[in-house]
Amino acid sequence: MSLTAQYLFKLFKMPDFFGVNRYCNICGFRFAKFATTGLIPREARCPVCESLERHRHLYIHLLPLLPFLKGKRVLHFAPEKIIKDFFTHSDAEYFDVDIEKGRASYQIDITRIDFEDNFFDYCIAIHVLEHIVDDAKAFSELYRVLKPGGTAFLAVPAERKAFEDYSVVAPIDRLKTFGQGDHVRIYSQDLFEERILAAGFTVQTSTPSAFPDEMREACKLGDVITLAKK
């Protein structure tokens, strides 16, 4: 069964979502609404491809790369299925990795990336760095393995005010302090960019507000996507 047929089969099992107010720019379907998700419920998840706000925002930057990925190497941490599908159906040399065994093709720690210097054209780490205690080492490793001219697409759940306390280690305490049991800090976007710059990158940010209102609302774009360039 083709991907389109699978999506259609799934969609017609979901009559509550029929409509045209929402649009998923990844799978191309329209809905009355996206599905709700999260500890604090929000309308965010595509009922067909299961993308979230951050994936639809990231996809705007990935799609123009598609004709030019032949021979390019891509390193993708904690690979989201919808983004993994994009690269596995491209001509890129794609490496999906995770720190947990069995979650991806390669088991790799972002603070100790087992590849040589200047190896990758693109790196992707979306909602990863807030889990990493030694984020400076992670940024340094990303910089090391990227080729000159390469780009890392990065995003974290950022708040207005940053907070770190490494004495908080129990999952229940991290849940109370950081909003999730496996988070180790709350970033602000300023702090996030500051640490990326400290690793040697230049930074370009893409915010949902940069897109037309009707596009932002229909696609429910979210998160700041930070393009860290070597």
Side-chain angles (χ1 to χ4, degrees), residues 7-22 29-34 47-48:
Y7 286 161
L8 284 169
F9 179 80
K10 187 172 184 180
L11 181 62
F12 279 94
K13 292 287 188 178
M14 301 179 178
D16 290 347
F17 295 100
F18 285 175
V20 297
N21 292 335
R22 300 288 184 252
F29 285 99
R30 290 190 175 275
F31 316 96
K33 60 182 179 180
F34 288 113
V48 173

Short mmCIF file of all heavy atoms in Angstrom, two decimals, residues 7-22 29-34 47-48:
data_model
loop_
_atom_site.label_atom_id
_atom_site.label_comp_id
_atom_site.label_asym_id
_atom_site.label_seq_id
_atom_site.Cartn_x
_atom_site.Cartn_y
_atom_site.Cartn_z
N TYR A 7 -2.29 6.99 4.17
CA TYR A 7 -2.81 8.22 4.76
C TYR A 7 -4.32 8.33 4.55
O TYR A 7 -5.07 8.70 5.46
CB TYR A 7 -2.12 9.43 4.14
CG TYR A 7 -0.70 9.66 4.60
CD1 TYR A 7 0.17 10.45 3.85
CD2 TYR A 7 -0.22 9.09 5.77
CE1 TYR A 7 1.49 10.66 4.26
CE2 TYR A 7 1.09 9.30 6.18
CZ TYR A 7 1.94 10.08 5.43
OH TYR A 7 3.23 10.30 5.84
N LEU A 8 -4.79 8.01 3.34
CA LEU A 8 -6.22 8.09 3.06
C LEU A 8 -7.00 7.10 3.91
O LEU A 8 -8.07 7.42 4.45
CB LEU A 8 -6.47 7.82 1.57
CG LEU A 8 -6.14 8.97 0.62
CD1 LEU A 8 -6.19 8.49 -0.81
CD2 LEU A 8 -7.09 10.14 0.84
N PHE A 9 -6.47 5.88 4.04
CA PHE A 9 -7.13 4.88 4.87
C PHE A 9 -7.25 5.37 6.31
O PHE A 9 -8.30 5.26 6.94
CB PHE A 9 -6.32 3.58 4.84
CG PHE A 9 -6.91 2.48 5.68
CD1 PHE A 9 -7.97 1.72 5.22
CD2 PHE A 9 -6.40 2.20 6.95
CE1 PHE A 9 -8.52 0.71 6.00
CE2 PHE A 9 -6.93 1.19 7.72
CZ PHE A 9 -7.99 0.44 7.25
N LYS A 10 -6.15 5.97 6.83
CA LYS A 10 -6.16 6.47 8.19
C LYS A 10 -7.11 7.65 8.34
O LYS A 10 -7.87 7.75 9.31
CB LYS A 10 -4.74 6.89 8.60
CG LYS A 10 -4.60 7.26 10.06
CD LYS A 10 -3.14 7.46 10.41
CE LYS A 10 -2.98 7.75 11.89
NZ LYS A 10 -1.57 7.95 12.25
N LEU A 11 -7.08 8.54 7.35
CA LEU A 11 -7.90 9.73 7.42
C LEU A 11 -9.38 9.40 7.48
O LEU A 11 -10.13 9.98 8.26
CB LEU A 11 -7.62 10.62 6.21
CG LEU A 11 -8.40 11.94 6.14
CD1 LEU A 11 -8.06 12.82 7.33
CD2 LEU A 11 -8.11 12.66 4.84
N PHE A 12 -9.82 8.44 6.67
CA PHE A 12 -11.25 8.12 6.63
C PHE A 12 -11.72 7.34 7.85
O PHE A 12 -12.90 7.07 8.00
CB PHE A 12 -11.59 7.39 5.32
CG PHE A 12 -11.75 8.33 4.17
CD1 PHE A 12 -10.67 8.61 3.34
CD2 PHE A 12 -12.94 9.00 3.96
CE1 PHE A 12 -10.80 9.50 2.30
CE2 PHE A 12 -13.07 9.90 2.92
CZ PHE A 12 -12.00 10.15 2.08
N LYS A 13 -10.79 7.01 8.72
CA LYS A 13 -11.14 6.46 10.03
C LYS A 13 -11.35 7.58 11.05
O LYS A 13 -11.65 7.32 12.21
CB LYS A 13 -10.02 5.54 10.53
CG LYS A 13 -9.85 4.24 9.74
CD LYS A 13 -10.97 3.26 10.03
CE LYS A 13 -10.70 1.92 9.39
NZ LYS A 13 -11.75 0.94 9.69
N MET A 14 -11.18 8.84 10.62
CA MET A 14 -11.19 9.98 11.54
C MET A 14 -12.15 11.06 11.08
O MET A 14 -11.75 12.18 10.79
CB MET A 14 -9.77 10.57 11.65
CG MET A 14 -8.74 9.59 12.15
SD MET A 14 -7.09 10.34 12.23
CE MET A 14 -6.17 8.97 12.90
N PRO A 15 -13.44 10.78 11.02
CA PRO A 15 -14.38 11.79 10.51
C PRO A 15 -14.45 13.05 11.36
O PRO A 15 -14.82 14.12 10.85
CB PRO A 15 -15.73 11.05 10.53
CG PRO A 15 -15.54 9.94 11.50
CD PRO A 15 -14.10 9.53 11.38
N ASP A 16 -14.07 12.97 12.63
CA ASP A 16 -14.10 14.17 13.49
C ASP A 16 -13.14 15.25 13.01
O ASP A 16 -13.27 16.41 13.40
CB ASP A 16 -13.75 13.80 14.94
CG ASP A 16 -14.84 13.00 15.62
OD1 ASP A 16 -15.95 12.94 15.05
OD2 ASP A 16 -14.58 12.43 16.68
N PHE A 17 -12.18 14.88 12.16
CA PHE A 17 -11.18 15.84 11.72
C PHE A 17 -11.46 16.41 10.33
O PHE A 17 -10.70 17.21 9.83
CB PHE A 17 -9.79 15.19 11.75
CG PHE A 17 -9.33 14.82 13.13
CD1 PHE A 17 -9.43 13.52 13.59
CD2 PHE A 17 -8.83 15.79 14.00
CE1 PHE A 17 -9.03 13.18 14.87
CE2 PHE A 17 -8.42 15.46 15.28
CZ PHE A 17 -8.53 14.15 15.72
N PHE A 18 -12.55 15.98 9.71
CA PHE A 18 -12.86 16.49 8.36
C PHE A 18 -13.08 17.99 8.39
O PHE A 18 -13.76 18.53 9.26
CB PHE A 18 -14.12 15.80 7.82
CG PHE A 18 -13.90 14.39 7.38
CD1 PHE A 18 -14.98 13.62 6.95
CD2 PHE A 18 -12.65 13.81 7.39
CE1 PHE A 18 -14.80 12.30 6.54
CE2 PHE A 18 -12.45 12.50 6.98
CZ PHE A 18 -13.53 11.74 6.55
N GLY A 19 -12.52 18.68 7.40
CA GLY A 19 -12.66 20.13 7.31
C GLY A 19 -11.49 20.73 6.56
O GLY A 19 -10.63 20.01 6.04
N VAL A 20 -11.42 22.07 6.53
CA VAL A 20 -10.39 22.73 5.73
C VAL A 20 -9.63 23.82 6.51
O VAL A 20 -8.75 24.47 5.95
CB VAL A 20 -11.01 23.37 4.46
CG1 VAL A 20 -11.60 22.29 3.57
CG2 VAL A 20 -12.08 24.40 4.82
N ASN A 21 -9.95 24.02 7.77
CA ASN A 21 -9.32 25.12 8.52
C ASN A 21 -7.83 24.89 8.76
O ASN A 21 -7.07 25.85 8.84
CB ASN A 21 -10.02 25.32 9.86
CG ASN A 21 -11.43 25.84 9.71
OD1 ASN A 21 -11.76 26.47 8.72
ND2 ASN A 21 -12.27 25.56 10.70
N ARG A 22 -7.44 23.65 8.90
CA ARG A 22 -6.04 23.32 9.19
C ARG A 22 -5.41 22.62 7.99
O ARG A 22 -6.09 21.92 7.24
CB ARG A 22 -5.94 22.41 10.42
CG ARG A 22 -6.52 23.03 11.68
CD ARG A 22 -5.63 24.13 12.21
NE ARG A 22 -6.15 24.66 13.46
CZ ARG A 22 -6.73 25.84 13.60
NH1 ARG A 22 -6.86 26.64 12.55
NH2 ARG A 22 -7.17 26.25 14.76
N PHE A 29 -2.60 17.08 3.78
CA PHE A 29 -4.03 16.97 4.04
C PHE A 29 -4.56 18.18 4.80
O PHE A 29 -3.82 18.85 5.53
CB PHE A 29 -4.34 15.69 4.83
CG PHE A 29 -4.26 14.45 3.99
CD1 PHE A 29 -3.13 13.66 4.00
CD2 PHE A 29 -5.32 14.08 3.18
CE1 PHE A 29 -3.05 12.52 3.22
CE2 PHE A 29 -5.26 12.94 2.39
CZ PHE A 29 -4.12 12.16 2.41
N ARG A 30 -5.86 18.43 4.62
CA ARG A 30 -6.57 19.50 5.33
C ARG A 30 -7.53 18.90 6.33
O ARG A 30 -8.07 17.81 6.12
CB ARG A 30 -7.32 20.40 4.35
CG ARG A 30 -6.42 21.26 3.49
CD ARG A 30 -7.21 22.30 2.71
NE ARG A 30 -6.33 23.20 1.98
CZ ARG A 30 -5.78 24.29 2.50
NH1 ARG A 30 -6.05 24.64 3.75
NH2 ARG A 30 -4.98 25.05 1.78
N PHE A 31 -7.77 19.65 7.43
CA PHE A 31 -8.63 19.17 8.51
C PHE A 31 -9.43 20.33 9.08
O PHE A 31 -9.12 21.50 8.84
CB PHE A 31 -7.79 18.58 9.65
CG PHE A 31 -6.67 17.70 9.20
CD1 PHE A 31 -5.39 18.19 9.05
CD2 PHE A 31 -6.91 16.38 8.90
CE1 PHE A 31 -4.35 17.38 8.62
CE2 PHE A 31 -5.89 15.56 8.46
CZ PHE A 31 -4.61 16.06 8.32
N ALA A 32 -10.42 19.97 9.87
CA ALA A 32 -11.11 20.98 10.66
C ALA A 32 -10.23 21.42 11.82
O ALA A 32 -10.26 22.58 12.24
CB ALA A 32 -12.43 20.42 11.19
N LYS A 33 -9.44 20.48 12.34
CA LYS A 33 -8.57 20.76 13.48
C LYS A 33 -7.49 19.70 13.53
O LYS A 33 -7.62 18.62 12.95
CB LYS A 33 -9.36 20.76 14.78
CG LYS A 33 -10.04 19.41 15.07
CD LYS A 33 -10.84 19.45 16.35
CE LYS A 33 -11.52 18.09 16.59
NZ LYS A 33 -12.31 18.10 17.83
N PHE A 34 -6.40 20.02 14.22
CA PHE A 34 -5.39 19.02 14.54
C PHE A 34 -5.82 18.31 15.82
O PHE A 34 -6.67 18.80 16.57
CB PHE A 34 -4.02 19.66 14.72
CG PHE A 34 -3.38 20.12 13.44
CD1 PHE A 34 -3.18 21.47 13.18
CD2 PHE A 34 -2.98 19.21 12.48
CE1 PHE A 34 -2.60 21.90 12.00
CE2 PHE A 34 -2.39 19.63 11.29
CZ PHE A 34 -2.21 20.98 11.05
N PRO A 47 -3.47 14.38 12.44
CA PRO A 47 -4.09 13.06 12.62
C PRO A 47 -3.68 12.05 11.56
O PRO A 47 -3.95 10.87 11.71
CB PRO A 47 -5.59 13.37 12.54
CG PRO A 47 -5.69 14.61 11.75
CD PRO A 47 -4.46 15.41 12.07
N VAL A 48 -3.00 12.49 10.49
CA VAL A 48 -2.57 11.57 9.45
C VAL A 48 -1.10 11.21 9.63
O VAL A 48 -0.74 10.06 9.85
CB VAL A 48 -2.83 12.16 8.05
CG1 VAL A 48 -2.21 11.27 6.97
CG2 VAL A 48 -4.32 12.28 7.81
#
